[in-house]
Amino acid sequence: MGEHPDCALIRRGYEAFIGGNMDTLAELMTTDVTHHVPGESSISGHHKGREACVQLYRRQYDVTGGTLRVELETLAADGRGHVISVHRCRAEREDRGLDMKEGMFFTIVGGKISDIDECHEDIDASNAFWH
């Protein structure tokens, strides 16, 4: 059995993100995509629209001096337009380090990512890192 098409879409998104290819990543999202980041940090909130999401991702790379690394561990689809991913996120920033599991809940509409809900293993640690 091959990979579910929704999982394949998300895998392509991870590959684009990991490779720093924001143009390809943007093509995989709807124009009105929203990425929800939990917590109370400088990156927390609801990033609405393709350009706002790409700006978020570029900012994450910029403030970490390019040290941000994401390692995809697993993908699971429900067959109704939702995919859950689990990955390990590592980064360094000034005198702080980040190393934790994160999860994403993706909604897919018309073969594109329309909504991303991000979950963190330790929201307080994430807040402290991204503050």
Side-chain angles (χ1 to χ4, degrees), residues 19-38:
N21 190 339
M22 298 303 150
D23 291 337
T24 297
L25 184 56
E27 292 173 7
L28 302 177
M29 299 184 286
T30 62
T31 58
D32 62 347
V33 63
T34 301
H35 187 141
H36 311 274
V37 180

Side-chain angles (χ1 to χ4, degrees), residues 70-81:
V70 173
E71 299 166 14
L72 180 61
E73 293 184 7
T74 191
L75 294 169
D78 71 355
R80 297 178 292 118

